[in-house]
Amino acid sequence: RSHPRPASTRATPPPPQPRIHGQRPQRAFGSFARMSADAKMTETEAAAALLNPIPEEAAGGGAAGMGGNATVSKSLTSVSRKTKGWEDITEALKSAAKGMKVGSMIHGDHFSLYEAMSALELMDPKMDPGMKLPSEKERKSMAKVTADLTSQQVLSIMDKCIACFVAWCEGHTLCHTVATCLYLQPENIERNDMPSALRAFSKAMLKLCREVRDVVLRADIYEEEDFMSNTFGFDLGDKMEQAHVLAELEQATAALATGAATPPEKLKELCGTPSSEEAKVNDQVVKGIRGRLMLVRHLWLLHQALSLRKAEDAKALISQVEKTLKVVRGSHKYAEKDPVGFDDTIPRIMVPHIPPRTVSPPNALATMLHFLTLLKHLKRCLRLEGEIRNIEDLITYFHGLSVEKPGIIARSHLLLMLNTENDFLGLGSLTDLVRESFRRFCPTFLLSDLDPDMPLFMSRVTKPLCHVLRLYCENRARQRRKISKLLPDWSILQQDAMLLDRRAVNSMTKIGIPMQQGGAVPSRHPCFCWVFDITVRLLAHHVTLGFELELFQPREFATAFWYLEYLLTCRLQNHMLGQKTIDPKWQRKLDLLVQKKTAEKEKGAGQRGGGAKKRPRKKKGKRASSKSPATAEILMVEAQKDLSRGIYKTLQALQAMGVVAFPPLPFGSDALNFRHRFAVFRKVPQPVALSYEDYKMHSELKAGVSPQQPLMIAAKALDSAKILITAASKRTALLPPELLHCRQLLKVAVANRVFLLMVQKASQKPAPGDAKSKNNPTLKGYEVDFDFSAQANFPVMKLVKMKVSPPAEVAEKKGAVRKVAKEDKAPAAPPQKAQT
C-alpha cells in the first residue's frame, strides 16, 4: 500500500491525460468508484475508462481506497451515482486487464521503486502470507491443544520446544520458533486439564526466553544475523511470578523422582498416560521428562547467576546442566517423531508483512552440541576474574575467545561481566588499571603521570579501550568494518600522547639528561608507545580478518602478507622502544625528578584542600623488570612476523620463476585494489600508510638476483618462526586461547617449511651428467594451492597436480593460484614424408 504525503505538502496533480493500452499512466487512481456489474462495455472501452480518471467532484465523493483519490470513468459515472452500495467489479477489471498490453501498469499517485521492492506479490504462495491460509475454525481443527496426552507425546513436545529455543538463539525469529508451540500460548498455558509437568515446563521455557532476551539486549552487541529481539507481541510470561514458576518446577521434579514407581493416577496427572506396556520404557520416559524440567530450570538460573555476577553459583549450575544433558541425551529415542501441539501458520498471522517460510528446528544431536558449546564458552568467561590481572592479558583473552566464534549469548555474558568502570573485574577502577598498564609498558611514564593534564588524558583513553574490548565481543564478520570506526579516536589519542611526551622530554632535558643522544637514555615516548601498540594491534587484526573472511583474492596474498609483516615489525620496534634500558646515572636523576614532582603535587593538593588528609601510599613492591610483562605475546608477534615474511618471500620467488603468474585485470588494476584494501590505514598518522609503489619496490627482484635468494630468506624466516612458537608454547602462564593459537601456527610453519624444501629441490638445476637428474622433481604441471583449514589467518601452501592444463589467459581460480604459461604452445610441425 502506498502511504500518501500530508495534504499540506502534496503537490497539485497535473490534468489527467488519456492513456492508450500499453502506455504507463503518469496519473493513476487510488481506488475504484462504485461500478455496476451489469454495465456492458467492450474491452477497449473498459481499459480506457479505467485509465482515464475524472475529478473528485464528478465521482460524487463516494469512493475510498488506498490513495484517497476517488476516480471513476466518465462512462460509469451515471451508473455509480444511482448505486448506493458497493458492487462487484471483478468482471470490469478483467475486461480492463484484457485491453492492456504486457508491461502496462496502474499505480497510485506517489508510487516509487522503493515501494515496488518492498511490496508483496499477491496470490503467490511464496510471497503472499494470506494465500491458502486456513480459517480460524480450520486451524483449531488441524492443531488441537489436546489435554489427554501420553507420556511420550509430552516428551516429544518438550524436545521440540527446546529445539525451537535453540533455533531462536541462533538467529531465527521468535514467531517462527518458540511461538509455534500452542502449549506456550497465553490462552493455553494456565489450563488445569493438561499434565502439570508440561504446564510447569511451558512456564519455565517462557521465563528462560525472557532472561536470554534481557541479557542480549543489555549487552547490545547483537546484529540481525545473530539474534532477533522482536517478540511480535508474543507474551514471554512477564506477569508470571518467578517464585511461583520455580515452585511448580520443583514440585513436578520432586514428584517424578521415583520414576515409573509413582502411582498411576499421580503419574497420569503429572506427565500423561503411559504409552507403553513395558515398565522399563515408561521409567526411561519419566526420567527423560524430569531431566528436561531440570534442564530448563538450571539454564534459567544459570543466566540469572551470570547476570548477577555470582561466579560460584554459575559454576555449580554449569556442572548440573552437564549432568542433566547426559540424562536428556539418553531418552531422545523414546520421543515421537511428529509431536502434536505445533501450528506453522502462527507466524503468518503474527507477522503478515513477512513472506511465509518454515523454520526447521535442529535435531537432537545439534541441540545437544549447541548447549555443550555454550557451556564451554561460559566456562571460559568465568575464568576472567581468576586469571586476568592486567589490561594486556584481558585484551589477549578477549581476542582468543573471539577467534573461537562463540554465540551471541556467551559474548553478551562476556561483555556484561566487565561491569562498570569503577569496578572492572573486581580489580578496581578501569583508570587505575590503564595507568598501571602504562607504567609496565614504559618505566618513563612515571614522570608523565605527574603532568596536570594526565587525569584528563586517562579519562579519554578508557572509553576507546572499552570500545576495543567491545569490538572483540562483536560478530566476527562485523569486526573489520567496526575497526575503521574506532581508528579516528586512536588518532586523536596519538596526538594527545605526543603532546604529553614532549612535556616530559623538556623536563628531563632541564635536569641534564641528554635526550637528543642515543644510548641508554629514557624513552622519549612513554605515552605514545602504549597508544601506538593498541593502534597497530587493531590494524593487524584488520588485515588478518581479510583472510578469515575470504576477502583477499589469491593475487593479493603477497601484498597482504607484506603489509602484515610491516605492521608486526612496527609493533616489535615500538615495544623495544618502550622497554629501553636506562643507564643507572640517568635513572637516578629521573627518580629524583619524579620525587620532586610528586612532593610539589602533594603540597599543592594539600593547600587547595585546606589541610586535607593525605591519601595512603601503596606499599612499594619489587621494581618491574626491564623485560616485557607479556613475553609470550611478544614471542608470538615475532613468530607471526617471521611467518608472514616466509610466505611473502616464497610467493615472490614463485612469481619470479613463473610458477605463479596473473594476467592484468580487465576492469581495474592491482594498484587500485591495494589502495582500496588499505585505505582505512590512512585514518591514523602512525604507522605511516604504505603505497603500492612501496610494495613494487620491495617485491621486484633486481637484475641478476636469482629466485633462490628469496627462497633462502623464506627458509630462515620459517625456521625462526618455528623456534619462537615452540618457546612461547612452553610458557607456564599461557592462557588456553593462546596455547591453541601456538599449536595452529606451529603446524602451519612446519607444513610450509616442507613445501619450501620441495620447491627448492625442484628449482635447482641438475649438474650435467648427474645420474639422479632424472629422478629430481619439477614444477611443471603443478599449481600452488592455499589451505586455511589449519589456521584461519596463515595458509598452508601445497603443490597440487593440475587435472587439466589451463589456457594462457586463465590466471586463477577460487581458492587456488593457477600456473600460467609464459608463451603459447608452438604450433605442431607438419608431418614429414616417410623416407624409403
Side-chain angles (χ1 to χ4, degrees), residues 336-350:
E336 294 183 353
K337 295 183 179 180
D338 297 324
V340 298
F342 288 86
D343 187 4
D344 294 334
T345 61
I346 288 180
R348 300 171 65 179
I349 299 173
M350 295 179 63

Side-chain angles (χ1 to χ4, degrees), residues 239-270:
K239 298 181 180 180
M240 293 186 295
E241 297 182 1
Q242 178 176 345
H244 178 68
V245 177
L246 285 175
E248 283 193 27
L249 273 175
E250 293 177 357
Q251 182 180 0
T253 304
L256 294 174
T258 56
T262 309
E265 296 181 357
K266 183 67 174 178
L267 192 62
K268 182 178 179 180
E269 181 184 351
L270 287 170

Side-chain angles (χ1 to χ4, degrees), residues 386-459:
E387 296 183 359
I388 306 302
R389 294 298 177 186
N390 51 61
I391 294 296
E392 296 86 354
D393 291 345
L394 183 64
I395 296 177
T396 304
Y397 199 86
F398 270 56
H399 180 267
L401 281 177
S402 177
V403 172
E404 298 181 7
K405 300 180 181 180
I408 181 61
I409 300 176
R411 288 188 276 120
S412 300
H413 280 301
L414 178 65
L415 186 62
L416 292 176
M417 287 185 68
L418 298 180
N419 209 350
T420 60
E421 296 184 2
N422 297 327
D423 185 18
F424 201 76
L425 285 177
L427 302 176
S429 66
L430 180 59
T431 305
D432 294 340
L433 290 176
V434 173
R435 182 177 281 106
E436 291 296 330
S437 179
F438 270 93
R439 292 175 182 173
R440 282 190 302 271
F441 198 88
C442 185
T444 318
F445 177 76
L446 293 173
L447 180 61
S448 301
D449 195 16
L450 300 174
D451 193 285
D453 292 335
M454 184 53 65
L456 177 61
F457 177 72
M458 283 290 132
S459 64

